[in-house]
Coordinates of all heavy atoms in Angstrom, one line a residue:
K1318 N 0.8 -1.2 0.0 CA 0.0 0.0 0.0 C 0.9 1.2 0.0 O 1.9 1.2 0.6 CB -0.9 0.0 1.2 CG -1.7 -1.2 1.4 CD -2.6 -1.2 2.7 CE -3.4 -2.5 2.9 NZ -4.1 -2.4 4.1
R1319 N 0.4 2.3 -0.7 CA 1.1 3.5 -0.6 C 0.2 4.7 -0.4 O -0.9 4.6 -0.9 CB 1.8 3.7 -2.0 CG 2.7 5.0 -2.1 CD 3.6 5.0 -3.3 NE 4.7 4.0 -3.1 CZ 5.8 4.0 -3.7 NH1 6.0 4.9 -4.6 NH2 6.8 3.1 -3.4
Y1320 N 0.7 5.7 0.3 CA -0.1 6.9 0.6 C 0.7 8.0 0.4 O 1.9 8.2 0.7 CB -0.5 6.8 2.2 CG -1.4 5.6 2.5 CD1 -0.8 4.5 3.1 CD2 -2.8 5.7 2.4 CE1 -1.5 3.4 3.4 CE2 -3.6 4.6 2.8 CZ -2.9 3.5 3.3 OH -3.6 2.4 3.7
V1321 N 0.0 9.1 -0.1 CA 0.6 10.4 -0.2 C 0.8 11.0 1.2 O 0.0 10.7 2.1 CB -0.2 11.4 -1.1 CG1 -1.4 11.8 -0.4 CG2 0.7 12.6 -1.4
D1322 N 1.8 11.8 1.5 CA 2.2 12.3 2.8 C 1.0 12.9 3.5 O 0.8 12.8 4.7 CB 3.3 13.2 2.8 CG 4.7 12.5 2.6 OD1 4.7 11.2 2.7 OD2 5.7 13.2 2.3
S1323 N 0.1 13.7 2.7 CA -0.9 14.5 3.3 C -1.9 13.6 4.0 O -2.8 14.1 4.7 CB -1.4 15.4 2.3 OG -2.0 14.7 1.2
V1324 N -2.0 12.3 3.6 CA -3.2 11.5 4.1 C -2.6 10.4 5.0 O -3.4 9.7 5.6 CB -4.0 10.9 3.0 CG1 -4.5 12.0 2.1 CG2 -3.3 9.9 2.2
K1325 N -1.3 10.2 5.1 CA -0.7 9.2 6.0 C -1.2 9.3 7.4 O -1.2 10.4 8.0 CB 0.9 9.2 5.9 CG 1.4 8.6 4.7 CD 2.9 8.7 4.7 CE 3.5 8.1 3.5 NZ 5.0 8.2 3.5
G1326 N -1.6 8.2 7.9 CA -2.1 8.1 9.4 C -3.5 8.6 9.5 O -4.1 8.4 10.6
R1327 N -4.2 9.1 8.4 CA -5.6 9.4 8.5 C -6.4 8.6 7.6 O -7.6 8.3 7.9 CB -5.8 10.9 8.1 CG -5.0 11.8 8.9 CD -5.4 13.3 8.6 NE -5.1 13.7 7.2 CZ -6.0 14.1 6.4 NH1 -7.3 14.3 6.7 NH2 -5.7 14.4 5.1
F1328 N -5.9 8.1 6.4 CA -6.6 7.4 5.5 C -6.1 5.9 5.4 O -4.9 5.7 5.7 CB -6.5 8.0 4.0 CG -7.1 9.2 3.8 CD1 -7.7 10.0 4.8 CD2 -7.3 9.8 2.5 CE1 -8.4 11.2 4.6 CE2 -7.9 11.0 2.3 CZ -8.4 11.7 3.4
A1329 N -7.0 5.0 5.1 CA -6.5 3.7 5.0 C -7.2 2.9 3.8 O -8.4 3.0 3.7 CB -6.8 2.8 6.3
I1330 N -6.4 2.4 2.9 CA -6.9 1.7 1.7 C -7.0 0.2 2.1 O -6.1 -0.4 2.7 CB -6.1 2.0 0.5 CG1 -6.8 1.6 -0.8 CG2 -4.7 1.4 0.6 CD1 -6.1 2.0 -2.1
S1331 N -8.0 -0.5 1.6 CA -8.2 -1.9 1.7 C -9.0 -2.5 0.6 O -9.6 -1.7 -0.2 CB -8.8 -2.2 3.0 OG -10.1 -1.7 3.1
R1332 N -8.9 -3.9 0.4 CA -9.8 -4.4 -0.6 C -10.3 -5.7 -0.1 O -9.8 -6.4 0.8 CB -8.9 -4.7 -1.9 CG -7.8 -5.7 -1.7 CD -6.9 -5.5 -2.9 NE -7.6 -5.6 -4.2 CZ -7.2 -5.1 -5.4 NH1 -5.9 -4.7 -5.4 NH2 -7.9 -5.2 -6.5
D1333 N -11.6 -6.0 -0.7 CA -12.2 -7.3 -0.4 C -12.5 -7.9 -1.7 O -13.3 -7.5 -2.5 CB -13.6 -6.9 0.2 CG -14.4 -8.2 0.7 OD1 -14.1 -9.2 0.1 OD2 -15.1 -8.1 1.6
R1334 N -11.7 -8.9 -2.0 CA -11.7 -9.6 -3.3 C -13.0 -10.3 -3.5 O -13.5 -10.4 -4.6 CB -10.5 -10.6 -3.4 CG -9.2 -10.0 -3.4 CD -8.0 -11.0 -3.2 NE -7.9 -11.8 -4.3 CZ -7.0 -11.6 -5.3 NH1 -6.3 -10.5 -5.3 NH2 -6.9 -12.4 -6.4
S1335 N -13.6 -10.8 -2.4 CA -14.9 -11.5 -2.6 C -16.0 -10.5 -3.0 O -17.0 -11.0 -3.7 CB -15.4 -12.1 -1.2 OG -15.7 -11.2 -0.2
K1336 N -15.9 -9.3 -2.7 CA -16.9 -8.2 -3.2 C -16.4 -7.4 -4.3 O -17.2 -6.5 -4.7 CB -17.2 -7.4 -1.9 CG -17.8 -8.1 -0.8 CD -18.2 -7.1 0.3 CE -18.9 -7.8 1.5 NZ -19.2 -6.9 2.6
N1337 N -15.3 -7.8 -4.9 CA -14.7 -7.0 -6.1 C -14.7 -5.5 -5.8 O -15.0 -4.7 -6.5 CB -15.6 -7.3 -7.3 CG -14.7 -7.5 -8.5 OD1 -13.6 -8.0 -8.5 ND2 -15.3 -7.1 -9.6
T1338 N -14.3 -5.2 -4.5 CA -14.4 -3.8 -4.0 C -13.1 -3.3 -3.4 O -12.4 -4.2 -2.7 CB -15.5 -3.7 -3.0 OG1 -16.7 -4.1 -3.6 CG2 -15.6 -2.3 -2.5
V1339 N -12.8 -2.1 -3.6 CA -11.7 -1.4 -2.8 C -12.2 -0.3 -2.1 O -13.2 0.4 -2.5 CB -10.6 -1.0 -3.8 CG1 -9.5 -0.1 -3.1 CG2 -9.9 -2.2 -4.4
Y1340 N -11.7 -0.1 -0.9 CA -12.3 0.9 0.1 C -11.2 1.9 0.4 O -10.0 1.6 0.3 CB -12.7 0.2 1.4 CG -13.8 -0.8 1.2 CD1 -13.4 -2.2 1.2 CD2 -15.1 -0.5 1.1 CE1 -14.4 -3.2 1.1 CE2 -16.1 -1.5 1.0 CZ -15.7 -2.8 1.0 OH -16.6 -3.8 0.9
L1341 N -11.7 3.1 0.8 CA -10.8 4.1 1.3 C -11.5 4.7 2.6 O -12.5 5.3 2.5 CB -10.5 5.3 0.3 CG -9.5 6.3 0.8 CD1 -8.2 5.6 0.8 CD2 -9.5 7.5 -0.2
Q1342 N -10.9 4.3 3.7 CA -11.4 4.8 5.0 C -10.7 6.1 5.3 O -9.5 6.2 5.3 CB -11.2 3.8 6.1 CG -11.6 4.3 7.5 CD -13.1 4.5 7.6 OE1 -13.8 3.6 7.2 NE2 -13.5 5.6 8.2
M1343 N -11.5 7.2 5.5 CA -10.9 8.5 5.6 C -11.4 9.1 7.0 O -12.5 9.2 7.2 CB -11.4 9.5 4.5 CG -11.1 8.9 3.1 SD -11.5 10.2 1.8 CE -13.3 10.4 2.0
N1344 N -10.3 9.3 7.9 CA -10.6 9.8 9.2 C -10.0 11.1 9.4 O -9.1 11.6 8.6 CB -10.1 8.9 10.2 CG -10.7 7.5 10.1 OD1 -11.8 7.3 9.9 ND2 -9.9 6.4 10.4
S1345 N -10.4 11.9 10.4 CA -9.8 13.3 10.7 C -9.8 14.1 9.5 O -8.8 14.7 9.2 CB -8.4 13.0 11.2 OG -8.3 12.2 12.4
L1346 N -10.9 14.2 8.8 CA -11.0 14.9 7.5 C -11.0 16.4 7.8 O -11.4 16.9 8.9 CB -12.3 14.6 6.8 CG -12.3 13.3 6.1 CD1 -13.8 12.8 5.8 CD2 -11.5 13.3 4.9
N1347 N -10.3 17.1 7.0 CA -10.2 18.6 7.1 C -10.6 19.2 5.8 O -10.7 18.5 4.7 CB -8.8 18.9 7.5 CG -7.8 18.5 6.6 OD1 -7.8 18.9 5.4 ND2 -6.9 17.7 7.0
P1348 N -10.9 20.5 5.8 CA -11.4 21.2 4.6 C -10.4 21.0 3.3 O -10.9 21.0 2.2 CB -11.4 22.7 4.9 CG -11.7 22.6 6.4 CD -10.9 21.4 6.9
E1349 N -9.1 20.8 3.6 CA -8.2 20.6 2.4 C -8.5 19.2 1.7 O -7.9 19.0 0.7 CB -6.7 20.6 2.9 CG -6.3 22.1 3.3 CD -6.9 22.6 4.6 OE1 -7.1 21.7 5.5 OE2 -7.3 23.8 4.7
D1350 N -9.2 18.3 2.4 CA -9.5 17.1 1.8 C -10.8 17.2 0.8 O -11.1 16.2 0.1 CB -9.9 16.0 2.8 CG -8.7 15.7 3.7 OD1 -7.6 15.5 3.2 OD2 -8.9 15.6 4.9
T1351 N -11.3 18.4 0.7 CA -12.5 18.6 -0.2 C -12.1 18.4 -1.6 O -11.1 19.1 -2.0 CB -13.1 19.9 0.0 OG1 -13.6 20.0 1.3 CG2 -14.1 20.2 -1.0
A1352 N -12.7 17.5 -2.4 CA -12.3 17.2 -3.7 C -13.2 16.2 -4.3 O -14.1 15.6 -3.6 CB -10.8 16.6 -3.8
I1353 N -13.2 15.9 -5.6 CA -13.8 14.8 -6.2 C -12.8 13.6 -6.1 O -11.6 13.8 -6.5 CB -14.2 15.1 -7.6 CG1 -15.2 16.2 -7.8 CG2 -14.8 13.8 -8.3 CD1 -15.4 16.6 -9.2
Y1354 N -13.3 12.5 -5.6 CA -12.4 11.3 -5.4 C -12.7 10.3 -6.6 O -13.9 9.9 -6.7 CB -12.6 10.7 -4.1 CG -12.0 11.6 -2.9 CD1 -12.5 12.8 -2.6 CD2 -10.9 11.0 -2.3 CE1 -11.8 13.6 -1.7 CE2 -10.2 11.8 -1.3 CZ -10.7 13.0 -1.0 OH -10.1 13.8 0.0
F1355 N -11.7 9.8 -7.2 CA -11.8 8.9 -8.3 C -11.1 7.6 -7.8 O -10.0 7.6 -7.3 CB -11.1 9.4 -9.6 CG -11.7 10.7 -10.0 CD1 -11.3 11.9 -9.6 CD2 -12.8 10.6 -11.0 CE1 -11.8 13.1 -10.2 CE2 -13.3 11.8 -11.5 CZ -12.9 13.0 -11.1
C1356 N -11.6 6.6 -8.3 CA -11.1 5.2 -8.3 C -10.5 4.9 -9.7 O -11.1 5.2 -10.6 CB -12.1 4.2 -7.9 SG -11.6 2.5 -7.9
A1357 N -9.3 4.3 -9.7 CA -8.6 3.9 -10.9 C -8.0 2.5 -10.8 O -7.7 2.1 -9.7 CB -7.5 4.9 -11.2

């Protein structure tokens, strides 16, 4: 897993292969996190 410095310790990426899904848990959000989020 890799994180950009600005989200380290606050965001966590994970995946569930059985559900064909990837998640992004975002904690301690601040106004600088405001954006459109895309999955790729």
Side-chain angles (χ1 to χ4, degrees):
K1318 302 176 183 179
R1319 179 163 293 200
Y1320 300 93
V1321 69
D1322 286 346
S1323 61
V1324 307
K1325 280 181 181 177
R1327 301 189 299 123
F1328 291 11
I1330 192 170
S1331 62
R1332 66 192 310 161
D1333 186 333
R1334 296 168 70 92
S1335 69
K1336 295 182 179 179
N1337 222 32
T1338 301
V1339 171
Y1340 302 99
L1341 185 68
Q1342 178 66 43
M1343 305 187 297
N1344 300 324
S1345 301
L1346 286 162
N1347 59 64
E1349 290 69 39
D1350 295 315
T1351 295
I1353 300 174
Y1354 284 70
F1355 298 89
C1356 172

